[in-house]
Amino acid sequence: MLKPLALALLTLTAPMLTAPAALADDLRGTGDLGLIVEREAGSLLVVDRSERAAIGRIEGLGDLSHASLVYSPDERFAYVFGRDGGLTKVDILTRTIVKRVVQGGNSIGGAISDDGKLVAVSNYEPGGVKVFDAETLDLVADVPMGSKTVGIADVPGSRFVVATWDTGEVWVLDHAADPAKPVITKLTGIGANPYDALLTGDGRTYIVGLFGEKGLTAVDLWQDPPKATRFLPDYGKDQPDLPVYKMPHLQGWTLADGVFALPAVGLHQLLWVDAANLSEIARTDLAGQPVFAVARPDKREIWVNFAPPGNDKVQIIDVMTHQVTDTITPGKGVLHMEFAPRGREVWLSVRDENRVEIRDARSHEVLAEIPARAPSGIFFTDRAHQTGL
Amino acid sequence: MARLVAALLLVALALPASAGTVTPDRADELRYIVRQDCGSCHGLRMTGGLGRAITPAALAGRDPDDLSTIILDGMPGTAMPGWRPLLSEDEARWIADYLLTQEP
């Protein structure tokens, strides 16, 4: 009698003892995950960097042309900004849509506040910024700006910064005191037609690229009020403008020794700028109109992709010599590049060939490929912890 | 035979004037260019972005020759580039007709 009882007890307790282990097998971290935008299909591919594989797909996100996204501080949720004005919160662990609101007619990007509580969406139509509760996606603040808005970024202290295409202004929205009533600081005369902007990783310098005139504008957000300075006011003035078949994008980083490398507009060049005094250091001739100029995380190389017709290529430039060291041809329609956080490998979306290519960031060799439907933006979860992304 | 010729003529007449100079293969490429490359500013569905909406409804009443000229030479003072280095006049006209009539 004792024996069967003991057995029964064993049977009863055994699952309880093994339960935590089984649970741990089901659990997983998100630090090596990412999302890839499938622009035509309106879906997101969930990828595992360590496995170099897709592990799922989230569908039903609407028009994702020019879509971008930001991550929640816990790297579990992503907020996706779609062309059709849709703001979608997705759960990358359960691969489901948590909530979706159509908040505008035409949106271009967004940002998440440094405390993870507010999500701001930059709209073309109606022109301005709308700010939402990150938990519920309820509208918190609506800030019309009378212009298409570009280059929105999060500034430390529950703030957002954005530039206006039509009116050439920079607006800083401070939500620290009352999220629903941001204190607005407006800088005018930034320059004609800002097309994009970047915020440096320290949250200090907001660089605005101009399409309507030569040059760029840097805004020092450490000054009160923020101070705007024009630089490179006449780069390329002596050369005829080349057609821009796709607008460049600016990214938020500074190279070693305080140097910026920025894509020129209407010139097939990369511009090297001294961050301390905003003077030009050098230029590098490129194979086409640069779109993204992305630093490898160790900041020793810049990787550049191009507008049509050169959008099958990527050029790699040495930061020390400013020379192109390699030109690779991943395939038709290289739209985006994303480095693993420590820079070991780089993922490239090759839109027209429906695949994502993974290359060794040092040897440039192809390591793996993942099928994806017309992929565009690639976003790894480490962005959750980077100011300006 | 006469019937076949008449039928072919009818088909030819039903197509836009410039269609004869754009092969079906090139037409496929042009459709793709419109969706992807025009789409980078005008939106995948031509509903607008940095550039204005260029759906048939948004372009209603526009002259296809004017649109061809804009495609080839761009619009000074805006972000619309001239596509002459990449497109022939026939191809620009094909795109103008396509934008006016087709939902991409």
Side-chain angles (χ1 to χ4, degrees):
Chain A
M1 187 59 202
L2 206 62
K3 224 178 199 174
L5 189 67
L7 252 177
L9 264 173
L10 258 177
T11 320
L12 271 174
T13 51
M16 289 171 72
L17 287 171
T18 55
L23 205 57
D25 284 344
D26 291 339
L27 289 172
R28 67 152 302 147
T30 54
D32 62 352
L33 298 186
L35 290 167
I36 298 175
V37 173
E38 297 182 308
R39 60 202 298 270
E40 301 243 8
S43 53
L44 298 170
L45 203 59
V46 185
V47 295
D48 182 323
R49 273 196 298 109
S50 309
E51 304 285 331
R52 292 185 186 139
I55 57 170
R57 187 174 260 132
I58 305 169
E59 301 189 289
L61 284 91
D63 182 349
L64 292 185
S65 48
H66 204 286
S68 64
L69 57 88
V70 297
Y71 286 103
S72 62
D74 63 3
E75 298 185 3
R76 175 171 180 179
F77 301 101
Y79 302 89
V80 187
F81 312 103
R83 171 69 84 187
D84 55 6
L87 166 62
T88 312
K89 180 178 180 179
V90 300
D91 182 336
I92 60 177
L93 284 177
T94 61
R95 291 164 221 151
T96 51
I97 291 176
V98 179
K99 189 151 187 197
R100 175 172 162 80
V101 294
V102 176
Q103 55 80 42
N106 199 320
S107 59
I108 189 64
I112 187 163
S113 59
D114 58 351
D115 59 2
K117 294 202 165 117
L118 300 171
V119 173
V121 189
S122 164
N123 286 316
Y124 279 167
E125 190 57 53
V129 170
K130 287 187 185 176
V131 180
F132 296 84
D133 183 304
E135 183 69 35
T136 61
L137 298 194
D138 290 338
L139 183 68
V140 172
D142 182 2
V143 186
M145 296 179 183
S147 164
K148 289 172 181 161
T149 52
V150 299
I152 192 164
D154 59 297
V155 184
S158 291
R159 291 181 293 167
F160 296 105
V161 61
V162 71
T164 63
W165 162 266
D166 302 287
T167 49
E169 296 165 351
V170 164
W171 294 47
V172 182
L173 313 179
D174 185 342
H175 295 265
D178 181 351
K181 294 193 183 66
V183 177
I184 296 169
T185 305
K186 188 162 58 164
L187 305 177
T188 56
I190 291 298
N193 295 132
Y195 66 87
D196 195 15
L198 70 84
L199 183 68
T200 52
D202 55 12
R204 175 173 185 175
T205 311
Y206 188 60
I207 293 184
V208 182
L210 302 175
F211 180 81
E213 61 184 284
K214 291 298 173 197
L216 302 97
T217 300
V219 178
D220 183 351
L221 295 168
W222 283 9
Q223 308 297 325
D224 189 18
K227 185 168 168 283
T229 310
R230 294 281 188 101
F231 65 104
L232 305 193
D234 46 22
Y235 81 80
K237 228 175 199 166
D238 46 342
Q239 290 141 293
D241 270 357
L242 297 165
V244 179
Y245 294 120
K246 186 177 163 79
M247 283 286 176
H249 289 62
L250 300 174
Q251 292 252 320
W253 41 262
T254 320
L255 296 172
D257 302 327
V259 173
F260 298 121
L262 302 163
V265 183
L267 277 181
H268 297 173
Q269 289 180 327
L270 191 65
L271 310 170
W272 301 84
V273 179
D274 183 330
N277 59 19
L278 299 174
S279 65
E280 183 176 324
I281 295 169
R283 293 191 200 180
T284 303
D285 287 323
L286 299 171
Q289 167 66 52
V291 175
F292 283 99
V294 189
R296 198 172 66 185
D298 68 355
K299 298 177 179 172
R300 173 67 200 275
E301 290 180 349
I302 307 286
W303 289 48
V304 179
N305 72 336
F306 300 99
N311 64 355
D312 58 337
K313 290 183 200 61
V314 169
Q315 288 193 306
I316 296 135
I317 299 109
D318 186 318
V319 167
M320 290 178 77
T321 64
H322 308 140
Q323 300 294 311
V324 174
T325 55
D326 199 4
T327 301
I328 56 174
T329 309
K332 269 192 81 185
V334 180
L335 290 199
H336 196 223
M337 302 163 283
E338 178 91 331
F339 284 91
R342 297 195 185 202
R344 192 71 188 85
E345 59 190 39
V346 58
W347 292 38
L348 306 106
S349 52
V350 190
R351 180 194 63 199
D352 297 356
E353 298 179 12
N354 294 304
R355 60 188 174 83
V356 169
E357 200 170 89
I358 304 168
R359 287 186 184 246
D360 186 293
R362 294 182 174 272
S363 71
H364 309 163
E365 277 167 42
V366 178
L367 300 171
E369 275 184 12
I370 296 174
R373 302 185 289 210
S376 56
I378 305 172
F379 303 87
F380 292 145
T381 50
D382 66 295
R383 287 172 172 255
H385 315 297
Q386 296 183 49
T387 295
L389 299 180
Chain B
M1 185 62 195
R3 219 189 211 161
L4 182 63
V5 171
L8 283 173
L9 258 175
L10 262 177
V11 171
L13 285 172
L15 290 166
S18 54
T21 51
V22 172
T23 65
D25 281 355
R26 183 60 178 155
D28 282 345
E29 288 172 10
L30 293 178
R31 238 174 255 121
Y32 194 79
I33 287 172
V34 167
R35 196 168 167 79
Q36 303 301 344
D37 297 334
C38 304
S40 14
C41 280
H42 295 283
L44 203 54
R45 292 166 199 172
M46 306 302 126
T47 52
L50 195 61
R52 65 185 64 176
I54 50 170
T55 56
L59 293 176
R62 296 292 295 266
D63 176 41
D65 283 332
D66 288 350
L67 294 180
S68 307
T69 305
I70 292 170
I71 292 166
L72 288 168
D73 298 324
M75 288 181 78
T78 76
M80 174 67 185
W83 292 77
R84 205 177 276 281
L86 304 179
L87 298 172
S88 72
E89 294 193 357
D90 288 337
E91 289 166 348
R93 175 57 194 253
W94 185 96
I95 289 173
D97 288 332
Y98 177 68
L99 291 175
L100 284 165
T101 54
Q102 305 275 326
E103 293 287 350

